[in-house]
Amino acid sequence: MPPNDHPYDAYFEYVGNLHIHSRYSDGAAAVHEIARSAKQVGLDFIILNDHSYMAEYLHLQDEGFYDGLVVLLGLEIGGRYHHYLAYDIKEMISGRSLGPQEVIDRVNAQGGFGFFAHPFEKGMPFSEKSLAYTWNDLSVKGYTGVCIWNFSSRWKERIKTVFHGLFFLLFKSQFLKPPSRKTLSFWDKLCQQKKTAGIGGSDAHGSLFKWHGIRLKPLSYEYLLNSINVHILLYKPLSEDFAEAKAAIYEALRQGRAFIVHENLASARGFKYYYVSDEGWNLTMGEERPFQTGTLFIKIPKEGEIRLIRDGTVERRWRGNQVSFRVKQKGVYRVEVYCHLSVFGWRPWIFSNPIYLR
Ligand SMILES: [Zn+2]
Ligand SMILES: [Zn+2]
């Protein structure tokens, strides 16, 4: 069924974790071990993005169903100032020397697609060796979207001293920062020009951290695979045929028919955000159509603070779990939801892709 005519209550929701590193680059575990952890935390799919300059091959033979979990392999390609999360590629793209536009073009030439990985990251202030891998040339073209929320990047930015390290290790879920304002405003501006999908990622490495004889694994796979997840909406249940399942997952990510969740706070399965026009057609996240008056509906699985953002500005805030909003003007509308934790207050939880009413 074509988009726009699909009934808003008939999507099939699947939860995955993206941007995972394995032993093929600088991660600490093998693909099947990561798949086992993902299965344990209840995910439906995972996508690995090993660094192309560290991995020799694109190990597509490792893709498949692992005890019902879909495992896909992309890459993280690029040099010092452009890390690109590439998906649906058919063969290895190597070379740290490729410029940012070249990376995007090579991915597109293979029928793949991709996202800026962490375009405005700040690095870890505590470690002088910690570099911020920002994306500097924002004039590039042809990318699909932006990873708006990277767990590892956002977590690192809080570590200014040993004390901060210990504190944010204990309360890593409770104090995780939302996507940065810079990233969100960049994304909002892109979306106003044209549809630009947003995703989130864990950037899981499972690495050991060594400091003056102390060895610890601050962010394990088990933890990170249930941190920043991406929920996709499919028109049909996920196929048992691997090629079909892979195509359906990639199509939802390309279109941005998805929302991004900090799942350690609470599961967001069942979150709904859709538009019903007065003429009766409807849209969900990642879909667009010329504007006609209608109503936006937002349902969340538990009470939260809901913010409706129109063209980058907060249009309305509510507390509750089910709200609606009459839309009288065109715009790009997305939703943020904050979840209340006693002591810690309102914490960032769900970030939807926009509904585009042009
Ligand atoms: Zn990176
Ligand atoms: Zn990475």
Side-chain angles (χ1 to χ4, degrees):
M1 205 175 289
N4 301 340
D5 293 323
H6 193 83
Y8 59 78
D9 53 355
Y11 288 98
F12 298 86
E13 179 183 350
Y14 294 92
V15 185
N17 192 283
L18 277 59
H19 192 169
I20 302 163
H21 294 270
S22 78
R23 241 179 244 154
Y24 288 138
S25 65
D26 53 354
V31 175
H32 70 273
E33 295 165 326
I34 298 169
R36 197 167 51 223
S37 302
K39 187 74 193 167
Q40 271 162 12
V41 298
L43 295 179
D44 301 307
F45 68 95
I46 55 171
I47 313 183
L48 281 84
N49 292 89
D50 275 304
H51 295 288
S52 66
Y53 68 87
M54 301 175 98
E56 217 171 323
Y57 308 101
L58 175 64
H59 297 264
L60 285 181
Q61 76 281 2
D62 286 358
E63 290 194 333
F65 287 110
Y66 286 65
D67 193 12
L69 171 97
V70 177
V71 175
L72 299 174
L73 273 80
L75 284 173
E76 182 169 18
I77 310 171
R80 177 67 185 87
Y81 293 113
H82 49 280
H83 279 198
Y84 194 61
L85 297 173
Y87 299 99
D88 206 8
I89 41 179
K90 281 73 186 174
E91 54 190 60
M92 189 64 186
I93 299 174
S94 37
R96 220 172 190 169
S97 53
L98 297 176
Q101 187 63 60
E102 232 176 326
V103 169
I104 296 169
D105 293 344
R106 294 256 185 124
V107 171
N108 292 345
Q110 291 191 14
F113 64 103
F115 300 81
F116 294 141
H118 31 63
F120 304 106
E121 91 167 356
K122 296 187 193 125
M124 187 194 283
F126 170 62
S127 163
E128 282 165 16
K129 278 190 270 172
S130 169
L131 300 172
Y133 291 92
T134 49
W135 187 296
N136 289 7
D137 179 4
L138 296 168
S139 70
V140 291
K141 300 265 179 303
Y143 51 88
T144 302
V146 185
C147 177
I148 61 161
W149 207 3
N150 174 309
F151 187 100
S152 301
S153 282
R154 289 305 266 164
W155 182 79
K156 271 194 305 207
E157 288 167 14
R158 300 217 104 154
I159 317 301
K160 297 192 182 96
T161 62
V162 178
F163 169 76
H164 285 93
L166 293 172
F167 184 79
F168 290 115
L169 215 54
L170 273 176
F171 299 110
K172 47 185 174 281
S173 304
Q174 295 86 341
F175 281 118
L176 182 70
K177 294 202 276 188
S180 77
R181 275 182 207 205
K182 210 168 170 182
T183 308
L184 288 176
S185 92
F186 173 65
W187 185 42
D188 283 329
K189 284 191 190 107
L190 293 172
C191 291
Q192 286 167 58
Q193 291 155 21
K194 74 181 192 55
K195 189 163 103 164
T196 309
I199 57 164
S202 60
D203 215 344
H205 288 76
S207 331
L208 265 179
F209 179 73
K210 294 175 210 145
W211 184 74
H212 293 275
I214 301 170
R215 292 158 65 84
L216 46 96
K217 203 184 274 182
L219 303 171
S220 66
Y221 284 109
E222 292 73 15
Y223 175 81
L224 282 177
L225 292 172
N226 202 37
S227 59
I228 305 291
N229 289 338
V230 177
H231 294 227
I232 54 169
L233 301 177
L234 303 186
Y235 297 125
K236 293 191 292 192
L238 200 58
S239 174
E240 285 175 17
D241 174 274
F242 179 72
E244 282 178 18
K246 174 175 172 172
I249 292 170
Y250 278 151
E251 178 59 13
L253 292 173
R254 268 181 203 269
Q255 298 302 331
R257 213 163 52 248
F259 55 99
I260 300 141
V261 177
H262 183 201
E263 211 93 51
N264 265 314
L265 296 184
S267 162
R269 277 190 200 257
F271 168 73
K272 294 224 165 18
Y273 172 45
Y274 56 89
Y275 184 70
V276 181
S277 80
D278 292 340
E279 289 192 354
W281 50 261
N282 59 74
L283 297 178
T284 193
M285 293 161 255
E287 295 179 337
E288 64 186 321
R289 195 152 163 162
F291 170 71
Q292 278 171 3
T293 53
T295 308
L296 281 168
F297 293 90
I298 305 159
K299 289 181 191 168
I300 51 176
K302 67 181 231 109
E303 283 264 315
E305 181 177 299
I306 302 168
R307 298 180 192 170
L308 179 68
I309 320 287
R310 175 181 171 266
D311 293 343
T313 309
V314 178
E315 177 86 22
R316 188 76 187 267
R317 284 169 204 253
W318 304 266
R319 297 259 168 99
N321 58 6
Q322 192 166 335
V323 298
S324 62
F325 180 80
R326 280 292 297 162
V327 179
K328 297 191 181 118
Q329 52 182 334
K330 63 182 173 186
V332 177
Y333 291 87
R334 64 175 180 85
V335 169
E336 297 179 1
V337 184
Y338 293 73
C339 161
H340 193 265
L341 299 185
S342 56
V343 186
F344 303 100
W346 292 97
R347 306 306 309 158
W349 182 31
I350 304 171
F351 289 77
S352 80
N353 264 275
I355 289 174
Y356 303 83
L357 295 162
R358 303 291 191 189

